[in-house]
Structure formats: structure tokens, C-alpha cells
Amino acid sequence: MIRRRDVVAGLAGTLAGTLAAGPLVLGSRPARAAAWPARPISVVVPYPPGGSTDITARIVGERLSIALGQPLVMDNRPGAGGNLGLEIVARAAADGHTLGVATTAHAINMTLFRKLNYDTLKSFAPVALLTENPLVLVVPAQSAPRSVADLIAAAKARPGALNYASSGIGQSTHLAAELFASMAGIKLTHIPYRGSAPAITDVIAGRCDLMFDTTQSVLAHVEGGRVRALGITAAERLPLARDIPTIAEAALPGYVAIAWNGLVAPKGTPPEIVARLNAETVRAMQEPAVAAKFAGLGATSRPLSPEAFGAFMAAEIAKWGAVVKQSGTTLD
């Protein structure tokens, strides 16, 4: 069903030695005699090494370092739901030598947090969309529900009795479940964890009834029979897992919840630098080898201009803001 083991194993092997050595410096070609880039470019990744956002940034960064003639230094700054890293980018000099990776969480955080030290739309110059990744609705392998409709029926029969795990309050794994519950007219109990790994571990053990998790994190468990996949949150089925229906086709027409990430620069970065970064990023994402790596992880990419990516982020802020308000969740 899922042909991803070789892809993930190859990525894990490539990253293992590098991550153990600390921050990754990608590329070693000498700088070209141009005004920009004049030195290595720092890419702030607001999550720990080894996660899906970090893997994405490193794959793309390797190609950009070649195209731009300067190393891209991955600077992992996890903390505060992804806010710490983006605050660093917002305060950085707008000279094209500092970039950041924004994610779905940074659209969610605009409503979730009572106070932020940045504004996802006003503090940054949008550069390019990197990847979009659907989530997978999974239940323990021994669970009674065998379809999305079964799960909804079970939740309606016992309001609030079923619990769901997430990788943390305000993460896409949390809000995807809230959107699902809202559209299905059911009540679920949220159990947040510090990361996807401990959350899915408790789903596998049967201590949690369900979870929405990224394809990178969960498809190996589906393949291994440790959890059962009921549905995909994308608008269409994944080529990687054709036998898993979309939640929209299975039970909830119109339901879509995508985890995404993209490059941003500090507000005021010269338009010509943003345009060059966008062109090189789009070119990198369309390289067959790069596209194949992401396809093996269940991720896709779309070539968006900086303006289109900015509009995309604004739409995501509005969409998830409504879900956050309905859930009643807020953080300081």
C-alpha cells in the first residue's frame, strides 16, 4: 500500500550523522562576486532537528545553497509553539541573509495566543510555499471503528467519551481534530502531548482513541499495522496510499486540513532578493529528485509567487482563526 520505507530510511541515514554533529551547514561553494548573498544565509527553523519541518528545510536548503553560491545554515530554534524562531526572524536585518520557515502553526498562533511579538502577515516578506502535507486520521489497530462514519457514530453515541491525542495545543494535529468535530457535530476530549512521537505511542498502545498526524510521522505505523488509517485530510487521495479515502469522501464533504510550511524573510527585505529567492525555491521544488523525496513522504508543492503565498497565509489565518475561536482555546 505505502512505498515509503526506502525514502524515509535514506533520509534518516543522511540526517543521522549530520544532526548528531549539531547545526547543519549546507553547501560549500565560494560566494559569487555579487552584492547578494555576500555571506552564508541563516535559515531559522522554529522546531527541533529531525522533524518534518526541519527535514523539508534541509532538503530545499541544499539546493538553494548551490543555486545562490553561499551556504545555508540551518538554525533550529524550537519553543513557544514555533513563536520563538519566528520572533528571531522578525527582528533580523532585512538584507536577505536571514530567512525563516513559517508553518500552519504560525497561521493558527495569530488567534491562539493572546499576545505575540510578531505578526505573521505584517512582520515578514512572504517568499515561497515549500510543501503541503495532509494529515492522517488514525485509531489503534484494535479499535472497533473501521471507517470515518463508524468513528462519528461512536462519538455521537458517547459525547466526550472518545479522546484524541495531538502534538500540542494549537498545532495542526490539534486544530484538524477540532475542525473535524465541529463539522461532524460531535464532542471529543483533547489530550495534548509534547510532540508527535509520544502522542502516537499512546494511540498505538490504545491509551488514546484517535489522532490526526502528519504523513511523515504516521504512515510507517500504518504500514506496520500498529494503527489503522481511517481517512486522509487532503482533498484527493494520496498516490502514496490510494486505499485510504479522504475524510471528505468518506463522511464529511468539504473537510480539508493541510499542514504546510514556507519560506519568509524579515519585512523590508528588498523585492529583488525576495524575487530571486522565490524563483530559486520554486525551481528547486520542481527538480525531479526533490519532488520524488517529498512525494515519498506524502508531501506536495505548488509554485506560488510571493504575493500568492502571502494571500495563502492570510486565508489560512482566517480559516484556522475561526476554528480556534470555536474551540475556545487561548494561550498566553
Side-chain angles (χ1 to χ4, degrees), residues 112-162:
L112 178 66
F113 284 82
R114 292 188 180 92
K115 182 179 179 181
L116 286 177
N117 293 323
Y118 67 89
D119 185 298
T120 303
L121 291 179
K122 297 178 181 179
S123 302
F124 308 104
V127 175
L129 177 69
L130 295 177
T131 62
E132 294 177 287
N133 200 298
L135 306 177
V136 187
L137 169 56
V138 297
V139 297
Q142 69 275 17
S143 180
R146 305 194 68 85
S147 69
V148 178
D150 288 347
L151 181 65
I152 292 173
K156 286 184 175 180
R158 297 186 298 152
L162 297 184

Side-chain angles (χ1 to χ4, degrees), residues 45-48 50-58 101-103 216 260-261:
V45 181
Y47 299 101
S52 59
T53 301
D54 180 68
I55 290 173
T56 298
R58 289 168 189 264
V101 183
T103 72
Q216 292 103 315
W260 55 268
N261 48 54

Side-chain angles (χ1 to χ4, degrees), residues 257-269:
I258 300 295
W260 55 268
N261 48 54
L263 281 181
V264 296
K267 190 73 173 179
T269 299

Side-chain angles (χ1 to χ4, degrees), residues 10 26 39 55 61 70 72 93 126 147 168 178-179 231 240 253 299 303 311 315 322 327:
L26 295 166
R39 60 182 185 274
I55 290 173
Q70 283 284 0
L72 268 72
S147 69
E178 289 293 333
L179 179 61
L240 193 64
S327 74

Side-chain angles (χ1 to χ4, degrees), residues 42-46 73 75-77 84-86 88-89 98-101:
S42 174
V43 181
V44 179
V45 181
V73 182
D75 184 7
N76 294 89
R77 297 295 188 98
L84 178 61
L86 265 286
I88 292 171
V89 179
T98 300
L99 304 175
V101 183

Side-chain angles (χ1 to χ4, degrees), residues 48-238:
S52 59
T53 301
D54 180 68
I55 290 173
T56 298
R58 289 168 189 264
I59 292 173
V60 178
E62 183 176 15
R63 293 306 197 277
L64 288 181
S65 69
I66 296 171
L68 298 174
Q70 283 284 0
L72 268 72
V73 182
M74 298 294 121
D75 184 7
N76 294 89
R77 297 295 188 98
N83 291 331
L84 178 61
L86 265 286
E87 289 175 12
I88 292 171
V89 179
R91 296 194 302 266
D95 60 4
H97 292 95
T98 300
L99 304 175
V101 183
T103 72
T104 317
H106 300 106
I108 293 169
N109 289 352
M110 287 289 291
T111 309
L112 178 66
F113 284 82
R114 292 188 180 92
K115 182 179 179 181
L116 286 177
N117 293 323
Y118 67 89
D119 185 298
T120 303
L121 291 179
K122 297 178 181 179
S123 302
F124 308 104
V127 175
L129 177 69
L130 295 177
T131 62
E132 294 177 287
N133 200 298
L135 306 177
V136 187
L137 169 56
V138 297
V139 297
Q142 69 275 17
S143 180
R146 305 194 68 85
S147 69
V148 178
D150 288 347
L151 181 65
I152 292 173
K156 286 184 175 180
R158 297 186 298 152
L162 297 184
N163 60 57
Y164 69 92
S166 81
S167 57
I169 295 174
Q171 299 299 305
S172 59
T173 55
H174 169 204
L175 274 300
E178 289 293 333
L179 179 61
F180 175 80
S182 173
M183 291 182 65
I186 59 177
K187 180 175 176 57
L188 300 170
T189 299
H190 181 207
I191 302 180
Y193 289 75
R194 293 192 176 187
S196 175
I200 196 62
T201 295
D202 273 7
V203 175
I204 292 170
R207 288 186 285 271
C208 286
D209 298 307
L210 62 122
M211 182 179 181
F212 288 78
D213 204 0
T214 62
T215 53
Q216 292 103 315
S217 298
V218 81
L219 283 182
H221 297 300
V222 175
E223 184 181 34
R226 292 179 287 277
V227 293
R228 180 187 305 134
L230 301 186
I232 295 277
T233 65
E236 299 178 353
R237 293 196 185 202
L238 285 183

